């Protein structure tokens, strides 16, 4: 199962709703139509349906995950990786602590992980706090003042339930008595929490790492602690779950997770009308039809000017301007690509004997458990340029598979064979690009064994290997750093056909006294980093964070300090032996040379990072494309 498109590249916004128990799942499912089953490679079963309201259609994925914060954290990460939602909600029931009655709905402002602390003579709480997304919290507060959400219930109960937007406590225990130590601890230390449950902290803590996703916990009050068993016997859980679901879908109905969130509609309307002809069709602001406004501007070739106008407006929040900057970058990059295509269609085709470039993009992401990973891959066939924006060029080679790290080389071997069969026998140079988490950048991927004509051979002597930072696929990073990354790559592109001078690379020759902020500053004016000393794993996060924040496109380093080998001279010669565009192939050649010698050879220990901002995975390209493109 795979689903890489994000609603920002699709006409429908997308939400994932997690539930813990069957009553919660049933209540959420009742709001969906056209429901289909989706099965994750790990075995998790989702259902996917449509939620239609006020002329808009939401793409909604739902799942029942079971109890507990640990399970919630793992399943939240899996759902984000699989579906790339705009919104995630945890919808269910909770026990009331104070200021609520049975059937009321509580939408979280924050979640207290109340069991975190230091055990001394007296327990000292150190709460882990998960915050709901600001925009969802504001929407919930607005809808809580109105009774529109009650119309989504099968019938309006008497007394009418209320909606409270307030903190919630979350732990691993079922609190069943007001005399219990846990209840007294909650009232004493978390006096503003109005309900208690078991999944919200793990849920919000996980979503926090994906700031492009808006998230909230919504709970119906199913018991008031002391009467828990009695109320459970009366079957109040389904009622509370029904109320929570009705309010959750009311919030979805009125929520717009778009690029223009946070920008006053009057400002958008003014800019829109300024850049369209006077007789152009007026945009209907009431419909929130963002795709229409962008399409109209693109039709009149005014989209860039419109975006630039909003980006330069100091009254618009900086985060909104960052989002618009990403969109502008994509629009600007599209023009030369289209021009090249038009030129080639007029007869400027490559020579029949010219070697074309193909790329195997591989992503390796953690799948909840520390030692479990999701492997995904795409093949880009026969592309002569370093810019790939035509999604039809991507061939998805497999649904994401979950495996242990030790199993990845075997699965990769299968992927390469599949890619080669797809390429056929044509003259095409296949380069493999690995998107890895920072902590895995020290892996000796080039020495993994793959199938050869007679026996296994090292991957790195057969194919050029490029490492990529998985963190650069994070939309929050791209919203903030895309323009700088493009500018950095422009400097690389300008000298690709030339031998680079040593001055274009920052040199790191020792790790003593390492300061990642200083390195990041020094990298600003460089196209790359050369490291002639091995870095310890404990410094890896800081080292690659410096590269990440400086948007440095190229880094080359040795994984091991080698006795009797002058690493500085060897790497300098490698960088300048051929034009920069052949650096990856030069590294492959030196690995091939090393394979015929001893371990005391630089080729066994070289690694190369090569970060092209225009060759990303298709799900990210879709998410970065504005609806009007």
């Amino acid at each position: 199962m795979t689903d890489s498109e994000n609603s920002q590249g699709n006409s429908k916004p997308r939400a994932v709703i997690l539930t813990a128990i069957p009553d919660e799942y049933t209540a959420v499912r009742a709001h969906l139509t056209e429901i289909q089953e989706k099965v994750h490679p790990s075995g998790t079963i989702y259902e996917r349906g449509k939620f239609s309201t006020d002329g808009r259609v939401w793409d909604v994925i739902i799942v029942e995950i079971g109890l507990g914060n640990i399970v919630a954290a793992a399943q939240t990460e899996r759902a984000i990786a699989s579906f790339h939602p705009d919104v995630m909600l945890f919808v269910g029931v909770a026990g009331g602590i104070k200021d609520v009655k049975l059937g009321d709905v509580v939408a979280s402002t924050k979640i207290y992980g109340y069991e975190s602390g230091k055990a001394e003579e007296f327990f000292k709480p150190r709460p882990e706090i998960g915050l709901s997304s600001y925009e969802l919290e504001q929407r919930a507060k607005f809808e809580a003042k109105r009774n529109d959400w009650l119309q989504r219930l099968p019938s309006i109960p008497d007394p009418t339930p209320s909606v409270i937007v307030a903190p919630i406590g979350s732990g691993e225990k079922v609190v069943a008595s007001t005399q219990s130590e846990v209840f007294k601890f909650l009232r004493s230390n978390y006096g503003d929490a109005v309900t208690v449950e078991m999944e919200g902290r793990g849920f919000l803590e996980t979503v926090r790492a994906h700031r492009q996703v808006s998230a909230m916990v919504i709970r119906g009050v199913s018991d008031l602690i002391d009467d828990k068993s009695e109320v459970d016997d009366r079957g109040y859980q389904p009622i509370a779950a029904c109320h929570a679901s009705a309010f959750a879908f009311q919030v979805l109905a009125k929520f717009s997770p778009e690029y223009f969130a946070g920008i006053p509609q009057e400002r958008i309307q003014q800019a829109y009308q300024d850049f369209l002809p006077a007789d152009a069709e007026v945009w209907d602001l009431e419909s929130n039809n963002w795709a229409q406004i962008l399409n109209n501007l693109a039709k009149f070739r005014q989209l860039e000017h419109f975006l630039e106008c909003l980006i330069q407006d100091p009254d618009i929040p900086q985060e909104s301007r960052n989002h618009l900057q990403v969109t502008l970058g994509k629009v600007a990059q599209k023009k030369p690509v289209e021009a090249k295509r038009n030129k080639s269609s007029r007869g400027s085709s490559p020579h029949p004997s010219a070697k074309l470039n193909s790329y195997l993009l591989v992503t390796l992401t953690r799948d909840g458990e520390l030692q479990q990973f999701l492997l995904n891959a795409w093949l880009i066939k026969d592309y002569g340029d370093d810019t790939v924006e035509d999604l039809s060029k991507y061939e998805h080679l497999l649904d994401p598979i979950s495996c242990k790290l030790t199993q990845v080389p075997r699965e990769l071997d299968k992927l390469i064979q599949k890619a080669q069969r797809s390429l056929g026998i044509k003259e095409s140079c296949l380069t493999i690009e690995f998107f890895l988490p920072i902590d895995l950048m020290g892996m000796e991927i080039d020495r993994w064994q793959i199938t050869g004509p007679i026996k296994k051979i090292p991957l790195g002597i057969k194919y050029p290997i490029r490492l990529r930072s998985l963190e650069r696929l994070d939309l929050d990073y791209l919203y903030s750093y895309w323009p700088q990354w493009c500018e950095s790559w422009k400097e690389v592109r300008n000298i690709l056909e030339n031998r680079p001078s040593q001055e274009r690379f920052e040199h790191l020759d020792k790790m003593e006294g390492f300061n990642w902020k200083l390195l990041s500053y020094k990298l600003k004016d460089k196209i790359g980093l050369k490291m002639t000393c091995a870095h310890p794993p404990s410094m890896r996060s800081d080292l690659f964070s410096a590269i990440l924040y400086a948007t440095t496109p190229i880094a080359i380093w040795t994984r091991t300090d080698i006795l009797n080998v002058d690493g500085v001279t060897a790497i300098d010669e490698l960088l300048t032996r051929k034009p920069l565009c052949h650096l990856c192939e030069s590294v492959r050649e030196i690995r091939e040379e090393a394979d015929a010698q001893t371990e005391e050879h630089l080729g066994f220990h070289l690694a190369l990072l090569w970060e092209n901002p225009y060759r990303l995975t298709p799900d990210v390209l879709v998410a970065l494309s504005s609806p009007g493109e």
Side-chain angles (χ1 to χ4, degrees):
M1 179 204 71
T2 182
D3 200 325
S4 59
E5 285 196 356
N6 179 288
S7 67
Q8 293 171 358
N10 200 339
S11 59
K12 294 194 294 292
R14 177 173 299 155
V16 171
I17 301 178
L18 275 60
T19 64
I21 59 177
D23 285 339
E24 298 168 351
Y25 186 84
T26 301
V28 169
R29 193 178 191 274
H31 293 268
L32 303 182
T33 60
E34 300 181 36
I35 298 172
Q36 297 180 334
E37 181 181 297
K38 296 284 183 181
V39 182
H40 190 274
S42 67
T44 303
I45 299 175
Y46 302 89
E47 284 193 302
R48 183 177 194 165
K50 293 180 179 179
F51 169 57
S52 302
T53 177
D54 299 330
R56 277 204 313 165
V57 179
W58 277 82
D59 178 20
V60 181
I61 297 93
I62 62 175
V63 63
E64 178 189 332
I65 65 168
L67 301 174
N69 282 295
I70 295 175
V71 171
Q75 291 292 345
T76 300
E77 186 66 47
R78 178 172 292 166
I80 292 173
S82 299
F83 298 104
H84 304 273
D86 300 293
V87 173
M88 287 199 72
L89 300 175
F90 205 110
V91 177
V93 300
I97 299 177
K98 69 165 194 172
D99 301 337
V100 293
K101 63 181 183 296
L102 290 176
D104 282 352
V105 174
V106 179
S108 65
T109 55
K110 54 189 172 185
I111 300 287
Y112 293 126
Y114 64 80
E115 292 188 301
S116 176
K118 186 176 183 180
E120 295 183 341
E121 181 179 357
F122 298 100
F123 183 75
K124 294 182 178 180
R126 294 178 178 177
E128 296 176 342
I129 300 175
L131 298 177
S132 296
S133 301
Y134 175 79
E135 61 272 20
L136 278 176
E137 179 184 331
Q138 294 302 305
R139 174 51 61 186
K141 287 179 177 178
F142 183 82
E143 297 303 324
K145 298 183 181 77
R146 310 167 68 182
N147 288 325
D148 295 2
W149 72 276
L150 295 171
Q151 304 304 316
R152 299 187 184 278
L153 295 172
S155 61
I156 299 178
D158 186 18
T160 303
S162 301
V163 176
I164 301 95
V165 184
I168 295 174
S170 183
E172 298 301 317
K173 300 177 178 67
V174 175
V175 183
S177 171
T178 56
Q179 301 305 309
S180 68
E181 292 300 321
V182 174
F183 181 85
K184 294 175 182 177
F185 175 78
L186 281 168
R187 290 304 305 272
S188 174
N189 293 280
Y190 304 98
D192 56 347
V194 299
T195 59
V196 62
E197 46 93 287
M198 298 174 64
E199 293 82 32
R201 182 192 62 78
F203 169 72
L204 283 183
E205 179 65 20
T206 302
V207 177
R208 187 170 69 94
H210 304 272
R211 282 181 285 175
Q212 74 277 12
V213 181
S214 300
M216 172 175 269
V217 177
I218 298 176
R219 298 284 186 174
V221 179
S222 61
D223 62 80
L224 298 176
I225 307 299
D226 271 341
D227 64 349
K228 179 171 177 58
S229 298
E230 178 185 343
V231 173
D232 286 349
D233 291 341
R234 287 160 48 193
Y236 221 89
Q237 276 195 348
I239 297 172
C242 181
H243 293 182
S245 297
F247 186 73
F249 279 96
Q250 179 67 17
V251 170
L252 273 188
K254 299 299 181 180
F255 184 68
S256 296
E258 306 292 348
Y259 277 109
F260 297 111
I263 305 177
Q265 288 190 345
E266 297 78 7
R267 184 68 190 93
I268 299 172
Q269 184 182 36
Q270 183 62 54
Y272 176 76
Q273 293 174 343
D274 286 346
F275 290 105
L276 282 189
D279 58 349
E281 179 183 359
V282 176
W283 176 49
D284 179 11
L285 279 173
E286 293 302 318
S287 68
N288 287 341
N289 196 337
W290 308 113
Q292 180 185 345
I293 185 174
L294 294 175
N295 279 323
N296 285 350
L297 287 160
K299 180 171 65 177
F300 289 101
R301 300 184 182 278
Q302 294 296 317
L303 183 54
E304 283 185 83
H305 301 301
F306 167 79
L307 294 172
E308 287 171 347
C309 176
L310 293 180
I311 290 167
Q312 294 168 8
D313 189 337
D315 295 330
I316 292 176
Q318 185 60 51
E319 184 176 358
S320 299
R321 286 192 276 164
N322 289 343
H323 285 207
L324 295 173
Q325 186 68 56
V326 172
T327 306
L328 178 62
K330 295 296 293 181
V331 172
Q333 286 298 324
K334 195 169 185 178
K335 284 188 173 181
V337 173
E338 289 174 343
K340 277 186 276 188
R341 287 177 188 155
N342 292 337
K343 182 179 178 181
S344 63
S345 66
R346 292 192 295 268
S348 179
S349 58
H351 190 276
S353 62
K355 224 179 207 186
L356 292 171
N357 295 317
S358 296
Y359 300 93
L360 178 61
L361 306 189
V362 181
T363 62
L364 196 61
T365 59
R366 282 189 166 80
D367 186 20
E369 300 176 24
L370 186 62
Q371 299 302 322
Q372 204 72 13
F373 292 84
L374 276 179
L375 183 67
N376 208 352
W378 297 264
L379 177 65
I380 306 172
K381 288 185 179 180
D382 306 336
Y383 220 80
D385 192 11
D386 68 347
T387 302
V388 186
E389 290 190 337
D390 182 358
L391 293 181
S392 67
K393 288 287 184 181
Y394 286 83
E395 177 184 340
H396 197 195
L397 292 181
L398 83 166
D399 287 345
I401 58 174
S402 184
C403 59
K404 294 188 180 300
L405 195 58
T406 55
Q407 298 170 323
V408 173
R410 182 188 64 197
E411 298 299 334
L412 178 67
D413 193 11
K414 296 176 187 176
L415 277 175
I416 293 173
Q417 293 179 55
K418 187 174 182 179
Q420 290 290 17
R421 286 194 295 270
S422 181
L423 290 172
I425 60 173
K426 65 184 72 173
E427 191 75 5
S428 179
C429 177
L430 178 64
T431 298
I432 304 176
E433 298 193 345
F434 287 90
F435 290 86
L436 301 174
I438 281 177
D439 62 308
L440 297 184
M441 282 294 182
M443 284 199 307
E444 296 182 337
I445 289 178
D446 50 285
R447 303 188 72 175
W448 287 352
Q449 299 293 303
I450 60 169
T451 302
I454 300 175
K455 60 181 182 178
K456 296 281 188 177
I457 58 174
L459 175 66
I461 69 169
K462 173 65 175 175
Y463 298 102
I465 305 295
R466 295 171 177 172
L467 301 185
R468 308 285 304 267
S469 299
L470 187 67
E471 288 75 11
R472 294 211 197 199
L473 297 182
D474 180 80
L475 289 182
D476 190 58
Y477 173 82
L478 291 170
Y479 289 149
S480 299
Y481 293 96
W482 173 268
Q484 300 97 301
W485 189 8
C486 291
E487 283 299 312
S488 298
W489 183 255
K490 183 179 178 182
E491 294 299 313
V492 173
R493 183 180 280 169
N494 288 339
I495 62 169
L496 275 174
E497 301 301 324
N498 304 319
R499 288 181 170 85
S501 64
Q502 297 298 331
E503 290 73 25
R504 303 305 298 269
F505 289 83
E506 179 65 25
H507 184 197
L508 183 62
D509 60 352
K510 63 179 181 179
M511 298 303 297
E512 291 82 7
F514 175 70
N515 183 326
W516 76 269
K517 291 182 179 179
L518 179 60
L519 176 61
S520 185
Y521 174 77
K522 290 181 176 180
L523 286 170
K524 291 293 185 181
D525 297 324
K526 307 291 184 178
I527 66 167
L529 171 67
K530 62 178 181 182
M531 293 180 273
T532 56
C533 62
H535 64 271
S538 60
M539 293 185 176
R540 187 167 296 143
S541 177
D542 283 351
L543 176 61
F544 284 94
S545 291
I547 297 170
L548 196 67
Y549 290 124
T551 66
T552 305
I554 301 172
I556 187 168
W557 69 94
T558 176
R559 294 185 291 255
T560 303
D561 292 322
I562 311 169
L563 295 175
N564 305 319
V565 173
D566 184 352
V568 176
T569 301
I571 289 180
D572 284 348
E573 290 177 351
L574 181 64
L575 287 172
T576 56
R577 70 161 62 172
K578 291 181 180 180
L580 184 60
C581 60
H582 297 297
L583 177 59
C584 192
E585 175 61 19
S586 295
V587 172
R588 189 204 65 78
E589 290 173 352
I590 199 171
R591 287 174 178 152
E592 189 173 27
E593 177 184 316
D595 191 54
Q597 298 185 35
T598 69
E599 290 287 330
E600 296 301 315
H601 194 292
L602 182 65
F604 281 117
H605 309 288
L606 270 182
L608 175 68
L609 184 83
W610 185 276
E611 298 277 22
N612 179 350
Y614 304 115
R615 188 164 53 250
L616 304 174
T617 57
D619 54 323
V620 173
L621 288 178
V622 168
L624 286 176
S625 300
S626 70
E629 286 190 75

